[in-house]
């Protein structure tokens, strides 16, 4: 397993969050040199140092195109071309179709949708130059189904991630870059634990999840590692669900 990602440079966004942290540890554990990116440079550097293996920690606001250009240029200068991009950063708003505001709509789409496009636009050509590789776009079950009829802008953004993935997969199909979307269900992270503890929403999540529990960041990271590696070599433009059966209903 250790050698599955050996010799590959992998960029992860939102990498110090609950799922991102598990993805970084998993990919580094499989031999990748991981570029740990998130808003706080200090936390990125700390995690990069912890996992070692040539990891780099860099600040990256995924909604900022100039920042993407600068980070990709720095990484390719220091570590060579990228083999894998994990577009993991995402934020959610709590508004419905009628309470949504322009401000929160633009904020959520800027990070969760535009950030994924910018990642593909600026890191994808590097992966192509490396001779091919994989892009994993972290979407959500809420990119596919309407959930609780809330978090309107989040659903809009994640639905777009699902379809941008298919479009980009077709663009790159003959150029060696595979692009797939990953759709987690309800995953217990330090942040979601705080947010959901004791709420009726938590009961509804558990009730609607056939496996009857929340998922773990490590279970998502295992699926990311599969899509990032050559073991998924005949998969592109597809959707992988890690949701305890939520979307099977
Ligand atoms: N936790 C869940 O239940 C769940 C379910 C489905 C999908 N997801 C998706 O998985 C991904 C990771 O979620 P998580 O649960 O680890 O969330 P999290 O809030 O723990 O982590 C998200 C990370 O993204 C970073 N971030 C926020 N804005 C950013 C920006 N502009 N640029 C770069 N980074 C930014 C944050 O600093 C944070 O570290 C997200 O895309 C989320 O939508 C999570």
């Amino acid at each position: 397993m250790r050698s599955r990602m050996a010799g590959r440079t992998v960029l992860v966004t939102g990498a110090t969050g609950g799922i991102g942290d598990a993805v970084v540890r998993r990919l580094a554990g499989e031999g990748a040199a991981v570029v740990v990116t998130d808003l706080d440079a200090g936390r990125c550097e700390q995690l990069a140092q912890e996992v070692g293996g040539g990891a780099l920690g860099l600040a990256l606001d995924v909604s900022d195109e100039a920042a993407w250009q600068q980070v990709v240029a720095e990484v390719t200068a220091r570590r060579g071309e990228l083999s894998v991009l994990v577009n993991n950063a995402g934020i959610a708003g709590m508004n419905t179709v009628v309470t949504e505001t322009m401000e929160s709509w633009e904020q959520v789409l800027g990070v969760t949708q535009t950030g994924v496009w910018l990642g593909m636009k600026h890191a994808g050509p590097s992966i192509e130059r490396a001779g091919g590789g994989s892009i994993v776009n972290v979407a959500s079950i809420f990119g596919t189904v309407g959930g609780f009829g809330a978090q309107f802008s989040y659903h809009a953004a994640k639905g777009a991630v699902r379809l941008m993935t298919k479009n980009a997969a077709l663009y790159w199909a003959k150029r060696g870059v595979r692009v797939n979307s990953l759709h987690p269900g309800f995953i217990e992270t330090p942040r979601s634990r705080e947010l959901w503890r004791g709420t009726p929403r938590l009961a509804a999540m558990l009730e609607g999840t056939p496996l009857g529990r929340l998922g773990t960041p490590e279970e998502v990271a295992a699926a990311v590692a599969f899509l990032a590696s050559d073991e998924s070599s005949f998969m592109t433009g597809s959707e992988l669900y890690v949701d305890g059966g939520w979307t099977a209903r």
Side-chain angles (χ1 to χ4, degrees):
M1 210 58 137
R2 184 170 165 77
S3 62
R4 196 161 68 160
M5 301 301 294
R8 301 190 190 187
T9 303
V10 174
L11 191 151
V12 183
T13 68
T16 62
I19 291 173
D21 179 276
V23 168
V24 168
R25 291 176 197 280
R26 173 75 192 226
L27 295 177
E30 296 202 23
V34 184
V35 184
V36 180
T37 73
D38 205 309
L39 295 176
D40 182 334
R43 292 187 61 195
C44 294
E45 284 160 18
Q46 194 184 327
L47 180 55
Q49 220 167 45
E50 246 181 80
V51 299
L56 282 178
L58 296 171
L60 172 62
D61 176 345
V62 295
S63 65
D64 179 347
E65 183 161 26
W68 268 110
Q69 287 168 317
Q70 199 245 311
V71 163
V72 171
E74 179 170 351
V75 170
T76 50
R78 292 173 69 181
R79 292 285 182 279
E81 303 292 357
L82 288 163
S83 292
V84 173
L85 167 67
V86 183
N87 271 318
N88 167 71
I91 57 170
M94 293 309 288
N95 291 315
T96 67
V97 59
V98 295
T99 62
E100 189 63 66
T101 62
M102 282 307 290
E103 193 188 357
S104 77
W105 171 264
E106 279 167 8
Q107 195 184 8
V108 170
L109 265 66
V111 177
T112 312
Q113 177 177 345
T114 308
V116 170
W117 162 52
L118 291 176
M120 292 195 289
K121 173 176 176 175
H122 292 289
S126 171
I127 299 174
E128 212 180 318
R129 287 192 297 273
S134 168
I135 296 176
V136 183
N137 291 330
V138 179
S140 166
I141 51 174
F142 287 174
T144 307
V145 296
F148 298 107
Q151 297 189 293
F152 186 72
S153 53
Y154 183 72
H155 281 254
K158 291 298 192 183
V161 170
R162 175 174 170 268
L163 206 52
M164 290 193 299
T165 297
K166 295 183 194 305
N167 184 289
L170 296 178
Y171 169 76
W172 269 306
K174 299 276 196 309
R175 298 174 164 94
V177 184
R178 299 182 299 104
V179 193
N180 293 287
S181 57
L182 181 67
H183 300 254
F186 306 115
I187 308 301
E188 188 169 16
T189 65
R191 204 161 163 273
S192 67
R193 202 175 300 130
E194 276 307 302
L195 212 62
W196 299 338
R197 182 180 290 147
T199 63
R201 177 65 74 87
L202 177 60
M205 288 172 180
L206 292 171
E207 154 70 18
T209 301
L211 291 189
R213 65 172 175 85
L214 301 175
T216 67
E218 290 72 25
E219 288 172 317
V220 178
V224 170
F226 167 67
L227 289 177
S229 79
D230 293 343
E231 286 187 55
S232 57
S233 51
F234 200 49
M235 290 175 71
T236 199
S238 73
E239 303 161 33
L240 184 57
Y241 288 81
V242 182
D243 69 351
W246 170 275
T247 47
R249 295 197 153 171

